[in-house]
Amino acid sequence: MERESIAVGLDIGTTKIVAMIGKKNEYGKLEILGIGKSKSLGVARGVVNNITQTIQSIQQAIQEAESNSGYRINDVVVGIAGQHIRSIQHSDYISRTNPDEVIGDADIDLLINQVHKLAMLPGEEIIHVLPQEFKIDGQGEIKEPIGMYGGRLEASFHVVVGQASSIRNVGRCIKSSGLDLSGLTLEPLASADAVLSQEEKEAGVALIDIGGGTTDLAIFKDGIIRHTAVIPFGGNVITDDIKEGCSIIEKQAELLKVKFGSAWPGENKDNEIVSIPGLRGREPKEISLKNLSKIIHARVVEIVEQVFAEIKAYGHEDPRKKLIAGIVLTGGGAELKHIKQLVEYITGMDTRIGYPNEHLAGKSGEEISSPLYATAVGLVMNSLRNNTLSATPLVELQKPMYQQPPVVRYQQPVQPVVNAATASKPVTTQPQAAVPQPEPVAVTAQEPVLETASATATATATRPMVENVMEESTEKKVKRSFFDKYIDKIKDFLDNAE
């Protein structure tokens, strides 16, 4: 029986890192098996600026996705964005040695490889070479040349270029997290896969993905990618403006934006006020919702105008390039209240909010169908096209480990059944009875496996722990965890004493 394809997408954003595991169900829809999310530390405006913190955030998201799904992740498709990304239009051709043979995949690959050899600016690297339209012996507007005859094969390409050091830094973070990098995809292209229909791509549509650090744009017309751009402003800039304008801390500013923020200042009355707790015994601060929406409005207008300038640069005003399907907004910023109306007002184009639920199976949770996860869903879909086996069921890899949780949490008699090696050593069950709290029990449950299991079982059972803390023995880690708990208790005691 053929093994089903399991795909993993990793969205390394400025505010969050999302790891998503999925597969196609019998109806061709994407079934999400597990999702892990962590706060993104070490990424600014889509670019890694702290390797160590980014690795920790990636490991945290991967661990959560693995524990939620019961799968062990081997490799990931990663989204890339950042202000260093730019795109160029390029045309190239090849002369075929035998025009009497039909054009095949090898000819297309040869042409694409030729474009990959283009001379770039110092420090730049080609990320994507996307064929747009082909010409065969001067005959143009050919979308699919395979199977046709011809001597000269020509094509126009959309070439996406990025900074080589930024791309390598992302790869380094993936490798150091114990994973393989199976693919690199421009984030707006991944988001487009998740939220746009083929009809919209044919009619002409601009996808605007408003993330935490960047706003990404992808324009499609006649089913072909025509233009991409990354604007170095996103939701974080709005949060910073609120922080400065209202003289509050960043955490409070983010909460205000999410709960009470609006991109349209006219809807709030002057007497609508929200109270923010003061810092360390200070008086609470009262903030007018009208002022809040004015701050948000000013920054959103700036972002939308920059995106609209890119849409005009593509040539939207030319009747042949008109985007009939208008604009689709996605990403975390698309959840801001009244942003759809503001975008329509500024651009004069039809606008809708893009949700990735069209491609998701029915049983996927409401949370996953949020615009926030559009990029992650698109990355999983991208990985599925390559028929990858990016994750393996933990049951196959380490059965003793995966059946252990009932021992830790519930009843002692289950333990001998889980691991045959521990059955001959009844001493191991005693510490659990003595300590009813969940934390010490979880620690002692690891010890019997280490003492009694064979070398192979030990390696299997402790594998996730070895990956998270490299080159550190599990015994040391157990001891350290005991010390950490006692140090925490002492700190709490001293804090209370103060």
Side-chain angles (χ1 to χ4, degrees), residues 356-376:
N357 51 5
E358 184 189 329
H359 301 283
L360 294 174
K363 58 174 80 168
S364 300
E366 263 183 56
E367 187 196 15
I368 297 166
S369 57
S370 154
L372 202 69
Y373 294 107
T375 303

Side-chain angles (χ1 to χ4, degrees), residues 198-271:
Q198 191 55 39
E199 288 83 1
E200 284 176 319
K201 288 180 182 179
E202 290 286 345
V205 67
L207 175 87
I208 303 173
D209 184 345
I210 307 170
T214 58
T215 298
D216 307 329
L217 171 70
I219 296 175
F220 292 85
K221 178 75 177 172
D222 300 326
I224 298 162
I225 180 80
R226 299 292 183 181
H227 187 72
T228 52
V230 178
I231 288 125
F233 296 111
N236 279 6
V237 189
I238 300 169
T239 305
D240 286 342
D241 286 355
I242 297 167
K243 185 180 83 172
E244 298 298 328
C246 301
S247 302
I248 54 177
I249 61 171
E250 192 173 338
K251 194 176 176 183
Q252 292 171 336
E254 182 65 28
L255 278 169
L256 265 181
K257 180 183 81 175
V258 172
K259 286 198 169 185
F260 303 102
S262 167
W264 201 265
E267 68 137 0
N268 293 115
K269 298 184 179 71
D270 291 325
N271 60 353

Side-chain angles (χ1 to χ4, degrees), residues 401 442-451 457-482:
M401 178 67 185
V443 173
T444 51
Q446 293 292 340
E447 289 177 349
V449 179
L450 290 166
E451 287 170 14
T458 307
T460 316
T462 59
R463 192 173 176 189
M465 300 175 82
V466 172
E467 282 173 359
N468 293 340
V469 186
M470 299 204 179
E471 297 173 23
E472 181 181 7
S473 73
T474 314
E475 286 178 26
K476 280 183 187 171
K477 216 161 56 154
V478 171
K479 287 175 188 172
R480 195 188 66 182
S481 65
F482 272 114

Side-chain angles (χ1 to χ4, degrees), residues 484-498:
D484 287 346
K485 282 171 191 161
Y486 284 119
I487 288 164
D488 288 343
K489 284 180 182 176
I490 291 163
K491 280 182 185 172
D492 290 343
F493 175 78
L494 290 172
D495 289 343
N496 291 334
E498 283 175 9

